[in-house]
Amino acid sequence: MSSEKKNGKSSLPSEHEPVDSSRRNLLKGASMVGVAALGSSAENIIAQDGVAPSRRDVAAREALEVLTSGEAETLDAICNCLIPSDEYGPGAFEARAAHYIDKSLASHNKSMREKYMVSLESIDRYAVKTKGKAFHLLMNDLQISVLLDVENNKVPGCSPSGKDFFNMVRSHTIAVSYTHLTLPTKRIV
């Protein structure tokens, strides 16, 4: 077995040199194996002319189990309003809250499936009617004003009511975000 030499030394550790088997190096190695397993798609994800993939690109790659892509975009925007990414740490987007809520609607939260689907459609319809754009396309301050209308039962069609739907989504978003991320204490809407 041959190895390349750097400055006259082998690049492979000898059997007498200690091997750094820290958890950090183990995780680094495991992540590289995962990237290598992705093959050519990893190049598309990691290096697109130095530009990080947008939130929309990431959401488009995730398989949905219950929600339509439009419903998932609306839910993702709602979750991001509730726990935004900020200087204190990651938010609901990084925790993939909408993704996990969608998965839960296919399993242990099946009874809430219809409420989510009807309410997300109602919120989107209301946003288009009152703000001129689908909810996920609105600026953050306009999204928050729509969510305040949901919470105050001003959005028709939410099931069982706007306030109840708002509290349900808020509860699920908080639970998912704090389960899947280690977040410092931060202000939650």
Side-chain angles (χ1 to χ4, degrees):
M1 182 168 134
S2 69
S3 64
E4 293 181 27
K5 299 216 177 211
K6 292 181 183 175
N7 299 330
K9 294 184 178 180
S10 170
S11 61
L12 297 175
S14 76
E15 59 187 71
H16 300 292
E17 291 179 36
V19 176
D20 184 5
S21 61
S22 68
R23 185 170 57 169
R24 177 178 291 175
N25 285 336
L26 175 67
L27 292 174
K28 277 188 208 175
S31 66
M32 291 309 295
V33 169
V35 169
L38 288 172
S40 63
S41 63
E43 292 174 357
N44 295 334
I45 294 169
I46 295 171
Q48 292 179 345
D49 297 326
V51 178
S54 72
R55 289 180 178 214
R56 179 173 266 204
D57 294 338
V58 171
R61 285 195 297 265
E62 295 214 39
L64 299 169
E65 292 193 23
V66 173
L67 301 173
T68 65
S69 61
E71 291 165 344
E73 287 176 324
T74 300
L75 180 59
D76 191 43
I78 291 170
C79 294
N80 192 48
C81 286
L82 296 173
I83 304 180
S85 306
D86 58 18
E87 68 274 10
Y88 300 109
F93 175 77
E94 290 79 9
R96 298 173 49 222
H99 172 79
Y100 283 101
I101 291 170
D102 175 67
K103 300 289 184 212
S104 79
L105 295 175
S107 60
H108 64 279
N109 281 333
K110 279 184 182 179
S111 64
M112 297 175 190
R113 183 184 298 184
E114 186 70 22
K115 293 174 185 169
Y116 266 92
M117 295 168 84
V118 167
S119 298
L120 291 170
E121 181 184 338
S122 297
I123 291 168
D124 224 21
R125 195 175 331 113
Y126 181 82
V128 169
K129 182 179 177 183
T130 61
K131 309 297 182 196
K133 292 182 183 177
F135 184 84
H136 72 279
L137 297 175
L138 295 174
M139 298 294 290
N140 187 260
D141 60 334
L142 294 176
Q143 289 176 338
I144 291 172
S145 75
V146 170
L147 288 179
L148 287 171
D149 288 347
V150 171
E151 185 179 26
N152 292 316
N153 290 318
K154 294 180 181 177
V155 177
C158 288
S159 175
S161 70
K163 184 175 185 91
D164 289 338
F165 178 73
F166 177 85
N167 288 332
M168 180 174 63
V169 172
R170 182 177 183 271
S171 173
H172 290 161
T173 302
I174 291 169
V176 167
S177 296
Y178 284 93
T179 300
H180 296 285
L181 286 178
T182 303
L183 295 173
T185 304
K186 59 191 288 186
R187 187 177 145 270
I188 300 172
V189 176

